Amino acid sequence: MPMAEIVLYLHIIGAIALFSGLVAAAVAMLRMERAAGETRRELASMARAMASMAAGGGALTLLFGLYMVLNEPGPNFGDAWIDNSLGLLLVIVAVIPLVIVPRLRAIAEGDGTMGDPTLWITTAAMLGGSFGIEYLMVAKPLAHGSDDGVLLLFLLLGAGAGWLQTREA
């Protein structure tokens, strides 16, 4: 099996881990709202583990994606979908461990609250952003133009969903 196929496979595995980790964390957070006591702390611990898995998946996606851009003839820096996705992926990989994981850890330890708007908005925005990146990786709608609007739309939809969740709490 050629190295390019192995790297592409690992890149896709990272993307799957990123997206599924954020989805699982969001589902656990939704369940946490109806839970109390030890059950809430266990769900927060699970959500934290899934968010950590998402950050690791994002790092794998970033690492192997950069390898492909630097070593493969197809995708290049300067392609809008590469540049925009790379920038957003860097943000996602930083925000998950710096914002989401500490808040979930606090809830797991009994110190945090589920009504934290920052937790909901950032989690939903990162999920929306990862969905936007997945869309660009598959569709490459404007391979030679600006894809900023696509990622911004998915980020805003995610952030809006997170904000609506805080309004219901």
Side-chain angles (χ1 to χ4, degrees), residues 11-27 50-51 53-58 61 89 92 96 123-135 154:
H11 177 71
I12 292 169
I13 292 297
I16 291 169
L18 168 65
F19 192 70
S20 62
L22 283 169
V23 168
V27 169
M50 293 298 99
M53 179 182 91
T61 303
L89 192 55
I92 290 171
I96 292 172
T123 301
M126 297 304 100
L127 183 55
S130 69
F131 190 73
I133 290 171
E134 296 290 333
Y135 172 75
F154 281 105

Side-chain angles (χ1 to χ4, degrees), residues 18-78:
L18 168 65
F19 192 70
S20 62
L22 283 169
V23 168
V27 169
M29 288 169 52
L30 288 169
R31 302 272 324 251
M32 286 165 42
E33 288 193 327
R34 295 177 192 91
E38 187 62 28
T39 303
R40 177 178 279 184
R41 287 190 292 278
E42 288 174 8
L43 286 167
S45 181
M46 184 183 89
R48 185 185 75 207
M50 293 298 99
S52 297
M53 179 182 91
L60 282 177
T61 303
L62 185 60
L63 175 71
F64 292 111
L66 283 173
Y67 179 88
M68 288 188 295
V69 167
L70 295 172
N71 295 303
E72 300 297 324
N76 295 306
F77 290 118

